[in-house]
Amino acid sequence: MSKPWTNAPVNASSKKDGIPLLQSRRLEHCQFRVLGRHDRLGEHGEPRCSLRLGNLAGTALIHLDPLSSPQWWQSLNHGDVISISGELRAFPSQWEILAESACTPYVAERRPTALFPCDWVLPAFNPQLKAVVRHWNNIGDDGLRTFLANIFSDAANAMGFRGTRDFPSKNDKNR
């Protein structure tokens, strides 16, 4: 596990820049994959960073201040798995996370809900993805669960398994 990052507790407001907060809920060690990163300059030339995070439930943004955030955040790459505690907030157009603490979980602690984010699967395959996660969660052997987590922690393996490949038909000459 990487060195955890901790911040002051979140103060929830009912609006963000005039946009109403629809709902919020507490996150305790909720795992996500890093699906994207957007580094830019703010209105006054200050650096800004947003990460797009996803898991089986959906996607959310987390906004970071690179000048005050620890180096741990800056080292995150596409496909990395992180565990966050804080607040998940729903606005009309997106979900956002206000993190209080975050860390990289040990491979054996990684959950299939984070390893297979719904954004990596065509909507038609969501029922199959949920079945895979349900069966994985029912595995009683810790060694097998760790083995699977180790394989699918690699983003290339997880994306390759996601079920979006078109399989050759019986008439395909390249079978």
Side-chain angles (χ1 to χ4, degrees), residues 132-172:
V132 166
V133 169
R134 184 176 60 252
H135 291 302
W136 181 326
N137 286 330
N138 289 331
I139 294 173
D141 186 297
D142 289 339
L144 180 56
R145 290 171 65 109
T146 300
F147 174 74
L148 290 171
N150 195 20
I151 289 173
F152 293 114
S153 287
D154 182 328
N157 289 338
M159 289 182 82
F161 180 76
R162 64 187 177 174
T164 60
R165 183 178 178 276
D166 291 328
F167 294 99
S169 67
K170 291 179 184 179
N171 298 327
D172 189 351

Side-chain angles (χ1 to χ4, degrees), residues 18-149:
I19 301 170
L21 176 65
L22 302 176
Q23 66 180 35
S24 75
R25 69 171 216 166
R26 181 86 188 134
L27 298 177
E28 291 294 337
H29 307 291
C30 189
Q31 293 183 10
F32 297 90
R33 271 225 198 241
V34 176
L35 302 179
R37 179 185 194 108
H38 184 72
D39 293 304
R40 65 192 182 288
L41 294 177
E43 294 175 13
H44 305 290
E46 70 280 2
R48 292 284 173 225
C49 176
S50 298
L51 295 177
R52 193 166 140 254
L53 304 176
N55 62 21
L56 187 64
T59 61
L61 290 177
I62 187 166
H63 302 288
L64 308 170
D65 179 356
L67 298 178
S68 66
S69 296
Q71 190 174 5
W72 179 81
W73 284 108
Q74 297 168 7
S75 68
L76 291 175
N77 295 308
H78 180 268
D80 288 349
V81 176
I82 61 174
S83 177
I84 296 178
S85 293
E87 182 184 7
L88 178 65
R89 301 179 349 154
F91 293 97
S93 62
Q94 67 188 20
W95 290 84
E96 290 187 6
I97 297 172
L98 293 175
E100 293 174 3
S101 65
C103 65
T104 303
Y106 291 113
V107 171
E109 296 172 348
R110 294 184 183 171
R111 299 180 193 123
T113 53
L115 296 174
F116 299 111
C118 68
D119 273 15
W120 283 2
V121 177
L122 292 173
F125 290 104
N126 277 337
Q128 290 89 336
L129 177 60
K130 289 179 181 178
V132 166
V133 169
R134 184 176 60 252
H135 291 302
W136 181 326
N137 286 330
N138 289 331
I139 294 173
D141 186 297
D142 289 339
L144 180 56
R145 290 171 65 109
T146 300
F147 174 74
L148 290 171

